[in-house]
Amino acid sequence: MKSNLFFNNEETEWEVVGDGIQRQIVGFDDKIMMVNVKFDKGAIGVLHSHPHSQVTHIAEGQFEVTIDGETKILKKGDSFYIPSNIIHGVVCVDDGMLIDVFSPIREDFMK
């Protein structure tokens, strides 16, 4: 299973995944996945964990990011890394977008 080689933003639908949160799958194969996630101001990515490693880049906005009990305010241009099975979450301070990269693929996103 894998995505197309090229991604066109205008041709890819956004999926509503929570109150004020939308997701757009950019590209994937069985080893890696990239996902755009739009947040409205005040939207909460609830604390959770998963077996996937994750690297996230803040493409727009400002977020309060909590990883393993430590919280920092990060803004456009900043990034963060989440090791496998570590509890993490975000609160959107200003309308924004995260670019998440997961390894391996988040099969739960494909349903």
Side-chain angles (χ1 to χ4, degrees), residues 24-42:
Q24 184 185 54
I25 296 175
V26 175
F28 63 92
D29 64 16
D30 60 335
K31 297 178 188 139
I32 194 166
M33 171 182 264
M34 180 182 278
V35 179
N36 292 331
V37 188
K38 280 198 285 192
F39 286 78
D40 294 339
K41 181 177 180 176

Side-chain angles (χ1 to χ4, degrees), residues 10 12 31 39 41 60 78 87 91 93:
E10 295 173 357
T12 306
K31 297 178 188 139
F39 286 78
K41 181 177 180 176
E60 295 293 335
D78 295 337
I87 295 174
V91 175
V93 177

Side-chain angles (χ1 to χ4, degrees), residues 33-92:
M33 171 182 264
M34 180 182 278
V35 179
N36 292 331
V37 188
K38 280 198 285 192
F39 286 78
D40 294 339
K41 181 177 180 176
I44 299 171
V46 297
L47 290 172
H48 65 286
S49 67
H50 45 72
H52 315 83
S53 295
Q54 176 179 342
V55 178
T56 297
H57 177 75
I58 300 173
E60 295 293 335
Q62 187 173 11
F63 292 82
E64 179 181 285
V65 180
T66 301
I67 303 170
D68 200 22
E70 183 177 356
T71 301
K72 293 192 179 276
I73 299 292
L74 300 176
K75 63 184 181 335
K76 179 179 179 177
D78 295 337
S79 299
F80 53 93
Y81 165 68
I82 303 160
S84 176
N85 296 311
I86 296 296
I87 295 174
H88 60 283
V90 300
V91 175
C92 185

